[in-house]
Amino acid sequence: MDPYSELMLIRASRRRRAWVAVLVAAMLAAGCGLGGSAGPHKRQSPYAGPLDAAVVHAPAGAMRGLVAADYRLFQGIPYAAPPVGALRWQPPQPAARWSGMLDATKPGPQCVQEARPGKTSENCLTLNVWAPMSGPSGKRPVMVWIHGGGFINGASDIYNARWLAAKGHIVVVTINYRLGALGFLAHPALDQSDALGNYGLADQQAALRWVRDNIGAFGGDPAKVTIAGESAGGMAVCDHLVAPGSAGLFRAAIIQSAPCQAQADLAAAQRASVKYAASMGCSDPATARQCLLDLAPTDLARPPWYSHIGDSDALTSPVTGTPTLPMSPVAAFAAGKAAKVPVLIGVNHDEFTMFAALRYLKRNHGVTAAEYAGVLTDIFGADGRAVMARYPPDRYGGDVSLAYAAAVTDGVFACVADRMAVALSRNAPVYAYEFDDPNAPAPDNLRRAPFPVGASHSLELRYLFKVGGAPPLDLAQRALSDQMIAYWSQFVTSGEPKVAKAPDWPALRGDHAPWMSLRPDGSRVMTTFEESHQCPFWATLKGRS
């Protein structure tokens, strides 16, 4: 998800808007990862510098990429056949082995999304490979990064992974996957494969298989693959931990700021899909499939909404209760049915302040005292009054917006992550963190809000990736960035975030276990995460224990 756009966040004219799809559009607007057009299916590389061509011979075919002093980059590599024509709403098919030399010096097209009208393509199943130029000999461990964006926007080329490759000595793969209606529509008329409602998730599995078969040519070790993602990307990681088709494709997982409880169930997704098809003029069940297939990709840029946080905010998501995803991840974790692999999981200290700030910018005012009970009921239903009593504005300097943001941070992100971490730790090592830089650089628009956004949703990404849209890191933040890159890279390398000359990061051990607090004034282990986010209170609420 993206910290940077209002596009998909706030309700407009009572239309549902996605509360998790905020990061990408602002980064796109800031121009990160983007350049001028180089034809309908390629864009100019955004990575400046004295780059020379390099050639790799992989089982998929030969390709020419870019070489800099400390990394190599190969972009726009097709990992599956174009999902167009008869392959729309079908499981991804293997990409044909190309002849000759593939030009891998430019990123491929972004998948169809409302945030980039007219500038995307249905032919978008490509990935990028970042590989270090120097470091330890032998095959390098691999991190496959799944982008966020509420499953409705985002792209692989937003994430410049040179720091992880050059400093962490790991290979990083960033992937595109089908989004919105093209990736997750669950209309009954399309039920001709096990991938119904999960085409985008199946794309990710296809990318993981491509990595298994080809990453050795880039110096990567196919036996040492870690899947990682933030927000919607983190939700996808949760899915892969329990999806049968993902078994054996990775050996560790990283989950960042992921509300994995927000997955859609099949019945709800089908109802929303039928309603969506009708809005597109495809209401007759007998002809709905062909009607949908006849629509232009641009007609399908507007996504369906599945999972709802109250009456106003919603997102598209993978669909549970299906062959691809039989159980919801949170339920599967609790039942001990997740892959038994090391997991690094965490949240940001102030996850929801970004959304509160965008609400303020949209309406020209924050949440008022008169609105407070209503917005909490909107999100937490019958528990809204109890949440309001637990999060009085007086505790937050009288600022209703900050009280609202704290309640949703704790109830939707922090305490969900805590429950998942504890459940997963019963069967495999789990390392939990909280990113807590109160002055994390934020996009210009968020800094116009009358309250600080702090360590808000997605702001940790610029400590791992070179992304735009906000002021640069200062010296202390740069040191924290280096530390985080070392922790993440070492976890990818060994399954443990053990770094010399950095605070020891212990694994979780039962309830009230240690969490690593990542701070620019010195990272430290803490044992008060549950209390500081009031998780015992949230465990008492109906349906949240």
Side-chain angles (χ1 to χ4, degrees):
M1 284 186 222
D2 204 90
Y4 310 122
S5 138
E6 292 175 54
L7 250 189
M8 299 295 175
L9 177 68
I10 305 292
R11 174 174 41 183
S13 303
R14 301 300 299 174
R15 174 182 171 190
R16 292 189 181 275
R17 290 287 180 183
W19 60 273
V20 288
V22 192
L23 163 70
V24 174
M27 288 207 262
L28 294 175
C32 53
L34 300 179
S37 173
H41 300 302
K42 290 285 186 179
R43 286 170 291 113
Q44 295 295 331
S45 172
Y47 310 111
L51 299 173
D52 299 315
V55 173
V56 158
H57 294 274
M63 63 198 82
R64 185 183 303 278
L66 301 169
V67 176
D70 54 358
Y71 69 94
R72 294 187 299 158
L73 173 59
F74 300 82
Q75 302 176 93
I77 305 169
Y79 67 82
V84 301
L87 293 184
R88 180 185 285 181
W89 293 307
Q90 291 295 308
Q93 299 301 305
R97 192 183 191 283
W98 57 84
S99 59
M101 187 71 65
L102 178 73
D103 177 7
T105 64
K106 305 177 184 69
Q110 296 177 353
C111 291
V112 173
Q113 54 193 276
E114 197 172 23
R116 300 283 290 167
K119 298 182 180 180
T120 59
S121 172
E122 195 171 3
N123 178 7
C124 63
L125 299 187
T126 65
L127 53 78
N128 311 311
V129 179
W130 298 78
M133 283 295 293
S134 61
S137 59
K139 295 294 186 182
R140 312 295 176 83
V142 180
M143 185 178 86
V144 177
W145 179 257
I146 305 171
H147 73 75
F151 298 106
I152 63 173
N153 61 25
S156 62
D157 61 309
I158 290 173
Y159 302 90
N160 182 319
R162 67 177 300 176
W163 297 338
L164 286 160
K167 297 179 181 181
H169 305 296
I170 63 174
V171 175
V172 181
V173 180
T174 63
I175 65 173
N176 285 341
Y177 56 92
R178 282 175 282 183
L179 301 167
L182 289 166
F184 300 97
L185 197 66
H187 196 290
L190 303 178
D191 191 10
Q192 298 187 11
S193 79
D194 288 349
L196 176 71
N198 290 305
Y199 309 105
L201 195 66
D203 293 342
Q204 296 169 16
Q205 292 171 333
L208 289 171
R209 292 192 295 270
W210 189 96
V211 167
R212 177 196 62 197
D213 297 338
N214 291 274
I215 204 64
F218 300 86
D221 188 341
K224 296 181 178 179
V225 173
T226 295
I227 54 172
E230 183 267 348
S231 197
M235 290 173 67
V237 172
C238 285
D239 295 337
H240 291 302
L241 283 167
V242 301
S246 303
L249 294 175
F250 57 93
R251 69 160 190 170
I254 299 174
I255 304 168
Q256 299 177 213
S257 300
C260 294
Q261 79 283 9
Q263 312 285 355
D265 66 75
L266 179 59
Q270 287 188 321
R271 288 193 298 270
S273 295
V274 169
K275 183 177 179 181
Y276 175 85
S279 74
M280 305 300 290
C282 302
S283 57
D284 184 348
T287 60
R289 174 179 169 79
Q290 190 59 50
C291 179
L292 289 165
L293 287 171
D294 289 341
L295 292 173
T298 51
D299 294 333
L300 295 161
R302 178 176 62 86
W305 304 121
Y306 289 171
S307 303
H308 308 300
I309 307 298
D311 288 336
S312 60
D313 301 319
L315 66 151
T316 302
S317 71
V319 179
T320 65
T322 60
T324 300
L325 195 57
M327 292 183 68
S328 73
V330 174
F333 296 170
K337 295 183 178 180
K340 294 176 174 58
V341 300
V343 173
L344 191 154
I345 183 172
V347 295
N348 294 355
H349 185 273
D350 309 297
E351 291 279 1
F352 210 72
T353 51
M354 178 185 72
F355 303 96
L358 290 172
R359 180 187 176 99
Y360 172 88
L361 295 170
K362 180 71 174 180
R363 301 177 178 220
N364 246 355
H365 65 78
V367 179
T368 66
E371 294 173 327
Y372 192 33
V375 297
L376 291 178
T377 300
D378 196 32
I379 293 176
F380 300 114
D383 293 322
R385 288 286 178 180
V387 174
M388 182 176 175
R390 190 74 180 191
Y391 291 81
D394 288 349
R395 189 176 295 171
Y396 302 90
D399 194 312
V400 182
S401 290
L402 286 179
Y404 163 64
V408 184
T409 291
D410 294 354
V412 173
F413 288 95
C415 296
V416 171
D418 182 57
R419 292 204 311 273
M420 292 193 298
V422 170
L424 289 166
S425 70
R426 297 188 183 111
N427 295 301
V430 172
Y431 300 87
Y433 75 87
E434 179 176 63
F435 173 76
D436 189 12
D437 181 355
N439 299 304
D444 290 342
N445 61 334
L446 296 186
R447 288 183 281 125
R448 293 200 300 268
F451 49 82
V453 296
S456 191
H457 189 69
S458 76
L459 295 189
E460 89 285 8
L461 291 176
R462 66 190 60 259
Y463 292 67
L464 297 169
F465 298 95
K466 185 177 174 61
V467 297
L473 305 178
D474 64 26
L475 287 177
Q477 291 166 336
R478 184 74 261 161
L480 175 59
S481 169
D482 288 342
Q483 187 180 81
M484 290 173 61
I485 289 166
Y487 277 137
W488 263 242
S489 300
Q490 187 57 36
F491 178 80
V492 171
T493 299
S494 66
E496 297 179 295
K498 305 293 186 184
V499 175
K501 299 182 180 179
D504 184 61
W505 187 340
L508 282 129
R509 294 180 181 85
D511 297 338
H512 308 290
W515 283 59
M516 177 61 74
S517 177
L518 299 167
R519 297 177 55 92
D521 60 353
S523 297
R524 69 215 61 173
V525 172
M526 62 175 177
T527 58
T528 57
F529 179 86
E530 293 91 342
E531 288 74 17
S532 64
H533 289 286
Q534 307 196 53
C535 295
F537 161 75
W538 290 98
T540 68
L541 299 183
K542 183 179 179 181
R544 295 180 183 275
S545 59

